[in-house]
Amino acid sequence: MRRIVSIKEMQELANSWKREGKKIGFVPTMGFLHEGHLSLVRKAKELSDKLVVSIFVNPIQFGPSEDFNKYPRDIERDCMLLEKEGVDVVFIPDAKEMYPEGFQTYVEVTELTKGLCGAFRPGHFRGVTTVVLKLFNIVKPDIAIFGEKDYQQLQVIKRMVKDLNLDVEVVGAPTVREPDGLAMSSRNTYLSEKERESALSLYRALSLAQELVEKGVLSVQKLKKELKDFIESYPYTKVQYIEFVDPENLKPVEEIKAPTLCALAVFVGNARLIDNSIIKPK
Ligand code: AMP
C-alpha cells in the first residue's frame, strides 16, 4: 500500500491508472477507522480495480466551537487496517496542502443543507462539499462510497455530483452498528462507560419510532415528543434535534404516510452523536 501526501503525486498516479483503463474506487474518511469505514472500503474494493482511501480531518467543516482539535487521530493504526483490506493508496494530505494561502473557492448545495445538521452546524456542509469536490479532482474516482450513517451528507454529495455534472458514481452503504445497536462512530471514543450506556438511547429511539408508527401513532408532533422524552430519560443526554423528513428532499413531514427518514442528533456528555433510520408505515 502506497502512502501519498502530495496532491500532484496522487493526480499523476490517478492519471496513469486512467490511461490503463482502470476503474478507480474511493472512500473519503477523517480517519480513526472502525468497522463502518471498513465496510465502505470492502464495498469499494468489490466495485473497482484500484482503491484509494483518504484520511483528512477537514478543518473547514468544523465550527469554531466544535471538536476539530480533539478529533481522534491514529494514522499508523488506520494504515495497518487499510493495508489488510488490500487498499492500493492511502491519501493523507495535510491542511496546508489542501488549503494553501490564498484559498478562497467554495462549493455549496443550497437547499438540502438547510435542515437537520445544516441548521445547527452553519458552514459544515459547505466545508464537506468543498473538500469532497477537491478530493474528487485529485483522486479522479469512477465510484465513491459514502455511509448512510451521515444520511444528509450522502444526499448533499449526490446532489452536488448531479448539479455539477461530475463523472463519479456515488454509492451509499448501510450503517454498521455495535452488537447492541450503537452506530459506530469515531466520536464514540469520547464516551465514558456510563455515557456509552446512554448513547444507546439513539438506536433505541429509532426502534421506538418504528414501533409507535406500527401501533398507529402517525403524527410527527406526537412522535417527536415521545422520542425526546424517551431519549432524555437517559442520563447525560440532551436532544439537539429529532426530525422526520422525506428521504429524498429532506423536507419535514407532518404525518407518516410513506417511508420517512427519522434523523436524530443528541449530545451525550460532550459528544454530539447522530443516527437515522427509515421508518415505514404498516
Ligand atoms: P468520517 O470518517 O466520520 O468522515 O466517515 C467517513 C465515511 O464513513 C462517511 O461516508 C461516513 O458516512 C461513513 N461512516 C461513518 N460511520 C459509519 C458507520 N457506522 N457505518 C457505515 N458508514 C459509516
Side-chain angles (χ1 to χ4, degrees):
M1 184 176 75
R2 222 163 121 178
R3 283 193 206 190
I4 295 182
V5 297
S6 138
I7 291 173
K8 191 160 174 282
E9 189 181 340
M10 185 68 245
Q11 282 176 319
E12 282 172 1
L13 180 61
N15 284 336
S16 76
W17 284 340
K18 293 253 173 238
R19 280 193 299 273
E20 293 164 15
K22 304 287 190 215
K23 184 170 177 184
I24 304 177
F26 179 43
V27 180
T29 82
M30 298 204 298
F32 211 72
L33 303 179
H34 50 66
E35 274 300 312
H37 296 113
L38 298 181
S39 74
L40 271 48
V41 169
R42 287 172 201 137
K43 186 160 191 159
K45 176 111 190 145
E46 265 172 38
L47 299 171
S48 60
D49 305 315
K50 294 287 178 187
L51 178 50
V52 180
V53 175
S54 64
I55 299 176
F56 181 59
V57 184
N58 176 32
I60 69 166
Q61 73 186 63
F62 287 79
S65 63
E66 292 183 354
D67 57 345
F68 174 71
N69 283 319
K70 66 172 188 148
Y71 195 83
R73 294 159 167 92
D74 191 344
I75 291 287
E76 290 311 316
R77 181 176 162 276
D78 289 347
C79 286
M80 204 184 69
L81 292 171
L82 294 175
E83 185 139 35
K84 270 197 219 150
E85 297 297 332
V87 169
D88 295 286
V89 169
V90 54
F91 177 55
I92 322 176
D94 67 16
K96 276 207 201 92
E97 181 76 357
M98 290 294 276
Y99 303 112
E101 220 178 289
F103 182 89
Q104 53 190 284
T105 306
Y106 296 84
V107 56
E108 193 169 354
V109 172
T110 56
E111 293 305 310
L112 284 173
T113 58
K114 285 202 168 124
L116 305 178
C117 291
F120 294 92
R121 304 187 69 189
H124 168 67
F125 285 112
R126 183 175 98 135
V128 169
T129 41
T130 300
V131 81
V132 169
L133 181 55
K134 282 172 67 71
L135 289 167
F136 282 179
N137 283 328
I138 296 164
V139 174
K140 306 173 192 258
D142 297 281
I143 187 160
I145 319 286
F146 292 83
E148 289 168 0
K149 159 89 183 353
D150 299 278
Y151 190 95
Q152 185 176 21
Q153 169 173 281
L154 171 62
Q155 295 305 109
V156 166
I157 303 284
K158 281 187 174 165
R159 189 75 241 176
M160 172 181 77
V161 162
K162 200 168 188 177
D163 289 353
L164 299 182
N165 311 102
L166 306 181
D167 205 359
V168 182
E169 185 186 349
V170 172
V171 174
T175 300
V176 176
R177 298 176 180 281
E178 301 285 357
D180 61 6
L182 178 67
M184 290 193 181
S185 164
S186 309
R187 289 190 167 98
N188 291 347
T189 171
Y190 298 147
L191 301 169
S192 69
E193 208 174 304
K194 285 180 179 163
E195 289 166 346
R196 169 70 179 71
E197 228 358 78
S198 289
L200 265 180
S201 62
L202 283 86
Y203 173 68
R204 289 182 181 159
L206 294 169
S207 311
L208 174 63
Q210 180 62 47
E211 256 173 57
L212 289 169
V213 165
E214 282 173 19
K215 281 188 191 147
V217 184
L218 303 180
S219 149
V220 164
Q221 202 188 348
K222 281 199 189 126
L223 288 166
K224 279 190 187 181
K225 182 170 180 338
E226 291 285 338
L227 264 54
K228 181 169 161 49
D229 290 348
F230 175 80
I231 292 170
E232 293 187 345
S233 73
Y234 286 75
Y236 320 110
T237 58
K238 178 87 192 107
V239 169
Q240 184 176 61
Y241 70 73
I242 297 170
E243 296 290 348
F244 289 83
V245 300
D246 178 296
E248 293 299 314
N249 62 27
L250 306 185
K251 293 241 164 77
V253 303
E254 286 184 5
E255 214 180 84
I256 311 297
K257 296 182 197 147
T260 300
L261 183 82
C262 177
L264 313 173
V266 179
F267 281 96
V268 182
N270 290 324
R272 181 182 175 279
L273 304 182
I274 57 172
D275 202 347
N276 68 78
S277 99
I278 303 272
I279 306 296
K280 296 187 179 111
K282 258 212 286 205

